[in-house]
């Protein structure tokens, strides 16, 4: 586990409307970062980066709209600071989603299908090669996960299952993963995430 020196310490927000925001917070704190649970749009101010956690995408979408978060989150994505959606968070970042009853944030040029692995494989694990991550494969945990069915430039796929299914994509300062890196001890994806900002927001 990496512990950063004070000069590498960032203030990272985790959207805390619903879902597994605590697990992200704990991992980021173990890495030496300051973490803010974000429940109101004003709390986005002053953050270096933002995570949209896993959970139930329909519930989080509803709470995004009812708390006036949609435009502030779009503006945050536009600001060049890193934004990462894990699982339900990836669904919310996608421009196209099947069966989401209201709009999410819709900022990444990807199409996502919810619960796409079917009932029999509600949850599974896989070893992934992720573009930008060195060393051994990344151990990925999938829980009622979405598939990234289409990735349109400038978005690019950065991890696939052996059958070619895309499970992670990046578009500039935006990152989407179908799986849950906050549930394992491996901090490499959280580290990568904090480097993907643009315009001096790395
Ligand atoms: N199945 C959930 C949804 O579609 C996502 C699951 C998760 O975030 N672990 O919202």
């Amino acid at each position: 586990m990496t512990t950063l020196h004070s000069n590498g310490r960032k203030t990272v927000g985790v959207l805390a409307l619903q879902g597994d925001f605590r697990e992200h917070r704990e991992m980021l704190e173990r890495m030496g970062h300051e973490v803010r649970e974000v429940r109101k749009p004003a709390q986005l101010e002053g953050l270096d980066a933002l995570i949209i956690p896993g959970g139930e995408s329909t519930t989080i979408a509803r709470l995004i709209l009812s708390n006036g978060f949609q435009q502030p989150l779009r503006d945050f994505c536009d600001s060049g600071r890193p934004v990462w959606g894990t699982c339900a968070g990836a669904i919310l970042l996608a421009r196209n989603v099947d069966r989401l009853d209201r709009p999410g944030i819709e900022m990444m040029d990807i199409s996502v299908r919810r619960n796409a692995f079917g009932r029999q494989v509600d949850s599974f694990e896989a070893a992934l090669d992720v573009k930008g991550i060195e060393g051994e494969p990344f151990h990925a945990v999938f829980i009622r996960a979405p598939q990234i069915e289409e990735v349109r430039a400038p978005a690019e796929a950065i991890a696939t299952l052996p059958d070619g299914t895309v499970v992670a994509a990046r578009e500039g300062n935006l990152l989407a993963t179908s799986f849950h890196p906050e549930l394992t001890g491996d901090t490499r994806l959280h580290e990568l995430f904090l480097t993907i900002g643009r315009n001096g927001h790395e």
Side-chain angles (χ1 to χ4, degrees):
M1 201 110 6
T2 342
T3 304
L4 292 178
H5 298 295
S6 54
N7 59 0
R9 187 174 161 92
K10 306 220 173 183
T11 303
V12 184
V14 184
L15 191 68
L17 298 175
Q18 191 264 339
D20 75 333
F21 50 88
R22 277 184 202 88
E23 286 77 0
H24 277 292
R25 187 189 68 199
E26 285 164 11
M27 175 162 276
L28 290 160
E29 285 175 349
R30 281 201 303 273
M31 293 166 67
H33 298 294
E34 186 179 330
V35 181
R36 204 181 294 161
E37 291 183 1
V38 175
R39 294 191 173 81
K40 294 286 165 209
Q43 294 169 322
L44 293 169
E45 207 149 304
L47 298 179
D48 296 312
L50 179 69
I51 291 178
I52 302 163
E56 193 51 47
S57 53
T58 48
T59 303
I60 302 176
R62 180 168 53 76
L63 293 169
I64 283 175
L65 294 174
S66 63
N67 287 282
F69 260 115
Q70 191 188 50
Q71 194 56 46
L73 289 171
R74 289 177 173 171
D75 292 344
F76 196 99
C77 292
D78 275 336
S79 75
R81 288 170 282 180
V83 179
W84 179 13
T86 57
C87 202
I91 293 168
L92 293 163
L93 281 178
R95 286 201 198 277
N96 308 92
V97 186
D98 77 312
R99 294 183 298 112
L100 189 64
D101 56 355
R102 63 201 80 208
I105 306 165
E106 302 179 321
M107 291 298 285
M108 281 187 81
D109 290 298
I110 56 176
S111 299
V112 166
R113 187 153 61 92
R114 297 178 59 211
N115 303 321
F117 293 97
R119 284 226 180 99
Q120 290 79 356
V121 282
D122 257 1
S123 137
F124 65 99
E125 306 187 6
L128 299 177
D129 287 323
V130 181
K131 188 177 171 187
I133 289 187
E134 306 287 325
E136 62 197 56
F138 193 90
H139 184 76
V141 177
F142 295 80
I143 304 167
R144 297 184 63 229
Q147 289 181 5
I148 302 173
E149 291 194 312
E150 202 188 317
V151 180
R152 297 176 294 278
E156 62 166 337
I158 62 165
T160 55
L161 294 174
D163 69 359
T165 303
V166 178
V167 290
R170 175 177 170 191
E171 180 171 346
N173 59 311
L174 309 179
L175 179 65
T177 58
S178 300
F179 50 96
H180 288 270
E182 73 283 10
L183 297 182
T184 51
D186 192 337
T187 57
R188 287 178 296 168
L189 251 169
H190 284 76
E191 285 160 23
L192 174 70
F193 157 63
L194 292 172
T195 69
I196 66 170
R198 60 177 152 77
N199 305 332
H201 286 300
E202 294 77 27

